Amino acid sequence: MSSGDHNPDRVEREFGVAFPGRVVEQSKWTQTALKAMPEGHLDWRVLFGRDAPVVLDLGCGNGRYLIGSALARPDHDHLGTDVLPVVIRYARKRGNQRGLANLKFAVLGGRELLERHVAPHSVAEVHCYHPQPYYDPAKVHLRLVTPAFVALVHRALKLGGLFVVQTDNPGYWKYIKDVIPFFFDFHERIGRWPDAPKGRTRREIIALKKKLPVFRGHGAAKADLSEDEALRWAESLPPPTFDADRRLRDLDRLG
């Protein structure tokens, strides 16, 4: 799409599913790039210019979910991160073209963001859709959802804050269901998200079209779990060494 192509009737689609929002007049475009991280914690008020609930999407891909949420919830501020610069470029472009002032994207790992740049109890929601399962046993240590990561999510959230996680990998889901309830009042969601029945993310759209099961869950941070107790659970619970089933690798090449 050229910089001058902002036909309000044009709908972008991925795999036949409309991408949230429309391109606005160029004079209304915003800058969603967060190109440099501070030495310490992000100041949400400075970053977004107001006080509002903050939503994080860790491993946000091309930003489909977060852009949809920013459009639907203008009273919330949103930050998405991913380690792949190419997908963040797509996310930023689309966020800019939709004129979203309540949205930022950064090239960064989810654990690094929580560990170094998010003050304790400062965000309202953390979302994690389809974390990479890593099929090669030599890369198991790169899996994002570990007890230490879940403890960081718990620390980042305000009292009762929401954690949403989704995967299409059965092994990962079994591990998630075993570990997350130590930190969250966790519930498996049966059925698709009502706001995006065809998929909140590119990956979910592909999985649904291939008629693969998608596992979804959400939970509120346990109010009676202290940071010290969460760290003790993080040290005692097993790491994610599950078998990701290499037969499922083809989906990764598409998603």
Side-chain angles (χ1 to χ4, degrees):
M1 179 183 294
S2 69
S3 61
D5 184 1
H6 43 257
N7 183 346
D9 295 324
R10 176 169 179 161
V11 177
E12 294 182 86
R13 295 183 182 275
E14 291 181 317
F15 302 99
V17 180
F19 197 93
R22 302 289 181 92
V23 178
V24 300
E25 293 293 329
Q26 191 168 355
S27 63
K28 298 179 181 178
W29 289 8
T30 53
Q31 291 296 324
T32 60
L34 178 55
K35 295 182 178 179
M37 301 301 290
E39 286 296 322
H41 296 149
L42 287 161
D43 185 324
W44 304 118
R45 184 173 186 176
V46 170
L47 182 61
F48 292 103
R50 63 175 184 174
D51 287 318
V54 174
V55 179
L56 304 181
D57 187 356
L58 309 180
C60 65
N62 69 358
R64 172 180 275 271
Y65 166 71
L66 213 60
I67 288 172
S69 180
L71 286 162
R73 300 192 287 177
D75 57 340
H76 284 58
D77 291 327
H78 300 74
L79 171 63
T81 68
D82 203 290
V83 296
L84 299 176
V86 64
V87 297
I88 290 295
R89 284 199 294 272
Y90 281 116
R92 287 170 172 169
K93 178 182 178 182
R94 283 169 164 158
N96 293 349
Q97 290 177 337
R98 283 153 178 78
L100 292 167
N102 63 331
L103 177 66
K104 298 290 183 184
F105 291 106
V107 178
L108 188 68
R111 177 163 181 163
E112 289 77 13
L113 175 71
L114 296 179
E115 197 167 44
R116 303 174 188 172
H117 305 297
V118 177
H121 316 302
S122 67
V123 302
E125 299 176 16
V126 175
H127 295 245
C128 184
Y129 296 99
H130 300 274
Q132 173 60 252
Y134 291 103
Y135 302 93
D136 184 346
K139 295 185 177 180
V140 163
H141 66 285
L142 298 175
R143 288 171 176 163
L144 178 62
V145 181
T146 65
F149 169 77
V150 180
L152 287 170
V153 173
H154 185 276
R155 185 184 74 173
L157 288 166
K158 294 184 175 182
L159 183 64
L162 181 68
F163 183 35
V164 178
V165 63
Q166 174 173 296
T167 181
D168 50 58
N169 187 278
Y172 219 153
W173 184 243
K174 182 180 183 305
Y175 179 80
I176 285 168
K177 288 199 301 180
D178 287 343
V179 169
I180 290 184
F182 286 91
F183 306 85
F184 292 85
D185 294 319
F186 192 67
H187 305 279
E188 183 171 3
R189 177 176 180 81
I190 306 302
R192 303 183 184 187
W193 301 110
D195 61 286
K198 294 182 179 180
R200 277 186 169 181
T201 69
R202 174 186 172 93
R203 173 68 178 238
E204 185 181 3
I205 291 169
I206 296 170
L208 291 174
K209 284 186 173 292
K210 295 176 79 70
K211 301 188 184 304
L212 295 174
V214 176
F215 309 99
R216 308 168 181 89
H218 55 88
K222 287 190 172 181
D224 58 350
L225 182 68
S226 70
E227 187 173 340
D228 287 342
E229 289 171 324
L231 289 174
R232 284 196 290 271
W233 280 125
E235 292 169 355
S236 63
L237 290 168
T241 55
F242 59 87
D243 179 3
D245 190 343
R246 293 190 178 195
R247 293 172 297 178
L248 302 174
R249 282 181 296 180
D250 286 346
L251 188 63
D252 284 324
R253 298 188 181 103
L254 293 172

